mmCIF file of all heavy atoms in Angstrom:
data_model
loop_
_atom_site.group_PDB
_atom_site.id
_atom_site.type_symbol
_atom_site.label_atom_id
_atom_site.label_comp_id
_atom_site.label_asym_id
_atom_site.label_seq_id
_atom_site.Cartn_x
_atom_site.Cartn_y
_atom_site.Cartn_z
ATOM 1 N N LEU A 1 12.784 -22.132 -0.044
ATOM 2 C CA LEU A 1 12.428 -20.787 0.418
ATOM 3 C C LEU A 1 12.027 -20.768 1.893
ATOM 4 O O LEU A 1 12.163 -19.735 2.557
ATOM 5 C CB LEU A 1 11.270 -20.231 -0.417
ATOM 6 C CG LEU A 1 11.580 -19.858 -1.863
ATOM 7 C CD1 LEU A 1 10.282 -19.507 -2.599
ATOM 8 C CD2 LEU A 1 12.558 -18.691 -1.939
ATOM 9 N N TYR A 2 11.542 -21.870 2.402
ATOM 10 C CA TYR A 2 10.963 -21.890 3.752
ATOM 11 C C TYR A 2 11.985 -21.526 4.821
ATOM 12 O O TYR A 2 13.050 -22.124 4.933
ATOM 13 C CB TYR A 2 10.389 -23.273 4.043
ATOM 14 C CG TYR A 2 9.843 -23.405 5.449
ATOM 15 C CD1 TYR A 2 8.736 -22.668 5.863
ATOM 16 C CD2 TYR A 2 10.438 -24.276 6.367
ATOM 17 C CE1 TYR A 2 8.240 -22.790 7.158
ATOM 18 C CE2 TYR A 2 9.944 -24.404 7.654
ATOM 19 C CZ TYR A 2 8.850 -23.671 8.046
ATOM 20 O OH TYR A 2 8.367 -23.788 9.327
ATOM 21 N N ASP A 3 11.656 -20.516 5.619
ATOM 22 C CA ASP A 3 12.427 -20.109 6.793
ATOM 23 C C ASP A 3 11.462 -20.163 7.972
ATOM 24 O O ASP A 3 10.463 -19.442 7.989
ATOM 25 C CB ASP A 3 12.966 -18.691 6.603
ATOM 26 C CG ASP A 3 13.831 -18.218 7.761
ATOM 27 O OD1 ASP A 3 13.567 -18.617 8.910
ATOM 28 O OD2 ASP A 3 14.781 -17.446 7.523
ATOM 29 N N PRO A 4 11.720 -20.992 8.987
ATOM 30 C CA PRO A 4 10.756 -21.155 10.083
ATOM 31 C C PRO A 4 10.413 -19.851 10.797
ATOM 32 O O PRO A 4 9.285 -19.691 11.275
ATOM 33 C CB PRO A 4 11.464 -22.127 11.037
ATOM 34 C CG PRO A 4 12.434 -22.858 10.178
ATOM 35 C CD PRO A 4 12.880 -21.888 9.136
ATOM 36 N N ASP A 5 11.375 -18.916 10.897
ATOM 37 C CA ASP A 5 11.157 -17.680 11.641
ATOM 38 C C ASP A 5 10.566 -16.545 10.806
ATOM 39 O O ASP A 5 10.086 -15.567 11.369
ATOM 40 C CB ASP A 5 12.480 -17.175 12.240
ATOM 41 C CG ASP A 5 12.903 -17.981 13.437
ATOM 42 O OD1 ASP A 5 12.091 -18.157 14.358
ATOM 43 O OD2 ASP A 5 14.059 -18.455 13.460
ATOM 44 N N LEU A 6 10.623 -16.665 9.496
ATOM 45 C CA LEU A 6 10.282 -15.528 8.642
ATOM 46 C C LEU A 6 9.531 -16.007 7.416
ATOM 47 O O LEU A 6 10.030 -16.853 6.654
ATOM 48 C CB LEU A 6 11.573 -14.805 8.217
ATOM 49 C CG LEU A 6 11.423 -13.574 7.337
ATOM 50 C CD1 LEU A 6 10.750 -12.435 8.099
ATOM 51 C CD2 LEU A 6 12.803 -13.118 6.826
ATOM 52 N N SER A 7 8.345 -15.439 7.189
ATOM 53 C CA SER A 7 7.545 -15.859 6.030
ATOM 54 C C SER A 7 7.875 -15.081 4.768
ATOM 55 O O SER A 7 7.382 -15.422 3.693
ATOM 56 C CB SER A 7 6.053 -15.712 6.344
ATOM 57 O OG SER A 7 5.690 -14.339 6.433
ATOM 58 N N ASP A 8 8.699 -14.036 4.862
ATOM 59 C CA ASP A 8 8.957 -13.182 3.700
ATOM 60 C C ASP A 8 9.468 -13.941 2.480
ATOM 61 O O ASP A 8 9.037 -13.655 1.353
ATOM 62 C CB ASP A 8 9.937 -12.069 4.070
ATOM 63 C CG ASP A 8 9.272 -10.949 4.853
ATOM 64 O OD1 ASP A 8 8.041 -11.026 5.079
ATOM 65 O OD2 ASP A 8 9.965 -9.992 5.241
ATOM 66 N N PRO A 9 10.430 -14.883 2.617
ATOM 67 C CA PRO A 9 10.900 -15.570 1.404
ATOM 68 C C PRO A 9 9.783 -16.262 0.635
ATOM 69 O O PRO A 9 9.735 -16.187 -0.605
ATOM 70 C CB PRO A 9 11.922 -16.578 1.964
ATOM 71 C CG PRO A 9 12.415 -15.951 3.219
ATOM 72 C CD PRO A 9 11.208 -15.279 3.812
ATOM 73 N N VAL A 10 8.881 -16.945 1.338
ATOM 74 C CA VAL A 10 7.757 -17.586 0.663
ATOM 75 C C VAL A 10 6.755 -16.542 0.203
ATOM 76 O O VAL A 10 6.266 -16.569 -0.936
ATOM 77 C CB VAL A 10 7.075 -18.613 1.598
ATOM 78 C CG1 VAL A 10 5.812 -19.181 0.938
ATOM 79 C CG2 VAL A 10 8.041 -19.738 1.942
ATOM 80 N N LYS A 11 6.464 -15.599 1.076
ATOM 81 C CA LYS A 11 5.445 -14.580 0.777
ATOM 82 C C LYS A 11 5.812 -13.749 -0.449
ATOM 83 O O LYS A 11 4.949 -13.418 -1.267
ATOM 84 C CB LYS A 11 5.286 -13.682 1.998
ATOM 85 C CG LYS A 11 4.161 -12.694 1.912
ATOM 86 C CD LYS A 11 4.079 -11.894 3.205
ATOM 87 C CE LYS A 11 5.336 -11.038 3.385
ATOM 88 N NZ LYS A 11 5.289 -10.208 4.614
ATOM 89 N N GLU A 12 7.090 -13.410 -0.593
ATOM 90 C CA GLU A 12 7.507 -12.570 -1.716
ATOM 91 C C GLU A 12 7.518 -13.323 -3.041
ATOM 92 O O GLU A 12 7.694 -12.713 -4.098
ATOM 93 C CB GLU A 12 8.890 -11.968 -1.439
ATOM 94 C CG GLU A 12 8.929 -10.999 -0.274
ATOM 95 C CD GLU A 12 7.921 -9.868 -0.408
ATOM 96 O OE1 GLU A 12 7.672 -9.416 -1.539
ATOM 97 O OE2 GLU A 12 7.357 -9.441 0.628
ATOM 98 N N SER A 13 7.335 -14.651 -2.985
ATOM 99 C CA SER A 13 7.241 -15.425 -4.228
ATOM 100 C C SER A 13 5.796 -15.533 -4.725
ATOM 101 O O SER A 13 5.538 -16.209 -5.727
ATOM 102 C CB SER A 13 7.823 -16.825 -4.014
ATOM 103 O OG SER A 13 6.976 -17.603 -3.173
ATOM 104 N N TYR A 14 4.869 -14.873 -4.036
ATOM 105 C CA TYR A 14 3.455 -14.904 -4.374
ATOM 106 C C TYR A 14 3.244 -14.436 -5.813
ATOM 107 O O TYR A 14 3.752 -13.397 -6.223
ATOM 108 C CB TYR A 14 2.714 -13.993 -3.395
ATOM 109 C CG TYR A 14 1.206 -14.001 -3.488
ATOM 110 C CD1 TYR A 14 0.484 -15.177 -3.497
ATOM 111 C CD2 TYR A 14 0.507 -12.791 -3.510
ATOM 112 C CE1 TYR A 14 -0.903 -15.155 -3.532
ATOM 113 C CE2 TYR A 14 -0.870 -12.762 -3.543
ATOM 114 C CZ TYR A 14 -1.582 -13.946 -3.560
ATOM 115 O OH TYR A 14 -2.955 -13.928 -3.593
ATOM 116 N N LYS A 15 2.478 -15.188 -6.570
ATOM 117 C CA LYS A 15 2.309 -14.907 -7.994
ATOM 118 C C LYS A 15 1.130 -13.986 -8.318
ATOM 119 O O LYS A 15 0.988 -13.558 -9.461
ATOM 120 C CB LYS A 15 2.138 -16.224 -8.759
ATOM 121 C CG LYS A 15 3.354 -17.139 -8.716
ATOM 122 C CD LYS A 15 3.108 -18.412 -9.502
ATOM 123 C CE LYS A 15 4.313 -19.326 -9.473
ATOM 124 N NZ LYS A 15 4.087 -20.569 -10.268
ATOM 125 N N LEU A 16 0.285 -13.706 -7.312
ATOM 126 C CA LEU A 16 -0.893 -12.881 -7.542
ATOM 127 C C LEU A 16 -0.747 -11.555 -6.815
ATOM 128 O O LEU A 16 -0.356 -11.515 -5.660
ATOM 129 C CB LEU A 16 -2.157 -13.589 -7.024
ATOM 130 C CG LEU A 16 -2.390 -15.029 -7.461
ATOM 131 C CD1 LEU A 16 -3.610 -15.590 -6.740
ATOM 132 C CD2 LEU A 16 -2.574 -15.119 -8.972
ATOM 133 N N HIS A 17 -1.059 -10.460 -7.479
ATOM 134 C CA HIS A 17 -1.091 -9.139 -6.834
ATOM 135 C C HIS A 17 0.177 -8.857 -6.025
ATOM 136 O O HIS A 17 0.115 -8.439 -4.872
ATOM 137 C CB HIS A 17 -2.317 -9.006 -5.929
ATOM 138 C CG HIS A 17 -3.612 -9.214 -6.637
ATOM 139 N ND1 HIS A 17 -4.550 -10.122 -6.219
ATOM 140 C CD2 HIS A 17 -4.125 -8.628 -7.744
ATOM 141 C CE1 HIS A 17 -5.594 -10.097 -7.032
ATOM 142 N NE2 HIS A 17 -5.360 -9.189 -7.964
ATOM 143 N N ASN A 18 1.316 -9.130 -6.636
ATOM 144 C CA ASN A 18 2.592 -8.891 -5.978
ATOM 145 C C ASN A 18 3.183 -7.600 -6.526
ATOM 146 O O ASN A 18 3.541 -7.525 -7.702
ATOM 147 C CB ASN A 18 3.544 -10.064 -6.221
ATOM 148 C CG ASN A 18 4.792 -9.990 -5.372
ATOM 149 O OD1 ASN A 18 5.221 -8.920 -4.950
ATOM 150 N ND2 ASN A 18 5.397 -11.141 -5.109
ATOM 151 N N SER A 19 3.303 -6.585 -5.681
ATOM 152 C CA SER A 19 3.763 -5.275 -6.149
ATOM 153 C C SER A 19 5.182 -5.309 -6.693
ATOM 154 O O SER A 19 5.592 -4.411 -7.427
ATOM 155 C CB SER A 19 3.665 -4.247 -5.006
ATOM 156 O OG SER A 19 4.445 -4.652 -3.900
ATOM 157 N N LYS A 20 5.940 -6.348 -6.344
ATOM 158 C CA LYS A 20 7.319 -6.469 -6.826
ATOM 159 C C LYS A 20 7.406 -7.171 -8.177
ATOM 160 O O LYS A 20 8.482 -7.244 -8.770
ATOM 161 C CB LYS A 20 8.177 -7.210 -5.796
ATOM 162 C CG LYS A 20 8.322 -6.440 -4.485
ATOM 163 C CD LYS A 20 9.274 -7.133 -3.541
ATOM 164 C CE LYS A 20 9.456 -6.305 -2.279
ATOM 165 N NZ LYS A 20 10.411 -6.928 -1.333
ATOM 166 N N VAL A 21 6.266 -7.716 -8.634
ATOM 167 C CA VAL A 21 6.213 -8.390 -9.935
ATOM 168 C C VAL A 21 5.068 -7.775 -10.719
ATOM 169 O O VAL A 21 3.896 -8.090 -10.490
ATOM 170 C CB VAL A 21 6.019 -9.916 -9.777
ATOM 171 C CG1 VAL A 21 6.018 -10.587 -11.146
ATOM 172 C CG2 VAL A 21 7.079 -10.496 -8.866
ATOM 173 N N GLU A 22 5.394 -6.889 -11.639
ATOM 174 C CA GLU A 22 4.358 -6.125 -12.343
ATOM 175 C C GLU A 22 3.379 -7.016 -13.086
ATOM 176 O O GLU A 22 2.169 -6.764 -13.114
ATOM 177 C CB GLU A 22 5.024 -5.145 -13.313
ATOM 178 C CG GLU A 22 4.042 -4.189 -13.967
ATOM 179 C CD GLU A 22 4.744 -3.143 -14.829
ATOM 180 O OE1 GLU A 22 5.979 -3.016 -14.717
ATOM 181 O OE2 GLU A 22 4.053 -2.468 -15.595
ATOM 182 N N SER A 23 3.868 -8.091 -13.678
ATOM 183 C CA SER A 23 2.999 -8.972 -14.461
ATOM 184 C C SER A 23 2.040 -9.771 -13.584
ATOM 185 O O SER A 23 1.116 -10.409 -14.102
ATOM 186 C CB SER A 23 3.847 -9.930 -15.289
ATOM 187 O OG SER A 23 4.656 -10.741 -14.452
ATOM 188 N N SER A 24 2.250 -9.761 -12.256
ATOM 189 C CA SER A 24 1.406 -10.573 -11.374
ATOM 190 C C SER A 24 -0.037 -10.099 -11.372
ATOM 191 O O SER A 24 -0.954 -10.898 -11.155
ATOM 192 C CB SER A 24 1.972 -10.562 -9.950
ATOM 193 O OG SER A 24 1.862 -9.275 -9.379
ATOM 194 N N PHE A 25 -0.278 -8.809 -11.592
ATOM 195 C CA PHE A 25 -1.643 -8.294 -11.576
ATOM 196 C C PHE A 25 -2.420 -8.780 -12.804
ATOM 197 O O PHE A 25 -3.588 -9.148 -12.710
ATOM 198 C CB PHE A 25 -1.623 -6.772 -11.497
ATOM 199 C CG PHE A 25 -1.112 -6.262 -10.175
ATOM 200 C CD1 PHE A 25 0.241 -6.038 -9.983
ATOM 201 C CD2 PHE A 25 -1.984 -6.032 -9.131
ATOM 202 C CE1 PHE A 25 0.712 -5.590 -8.758
ATOM 203 C CE2 PHE A 25 -1.528 -5.574 -7.904
ATOM 204 C CZ PHE A 25 -0.163 -5.361 -7.721
#
């Protein structure tokens, strides 16, 4: 996932409080 210029790929895989993953809350 790591992209040196952009943190979005790693950031969007966040498992806590992720609005794109309903079960994360």
Side-chain angles (χ1 to χ4, degrees):
L1 290 172
Y2 177 65
D3 183 327
D5 285 309
L6 181 67
S7 69
D8 283 358
V10 174
K11 187 178 65 178
E12 295 305 325
S13 70
Y14 186 50
K15 296 180 179 181
L16 309 175
H17 302 126
N18 190 334
S19 59
K20 295 185 177 182
V21 182
E22 187 175 347
S23 61
S24 67
F25 292 89

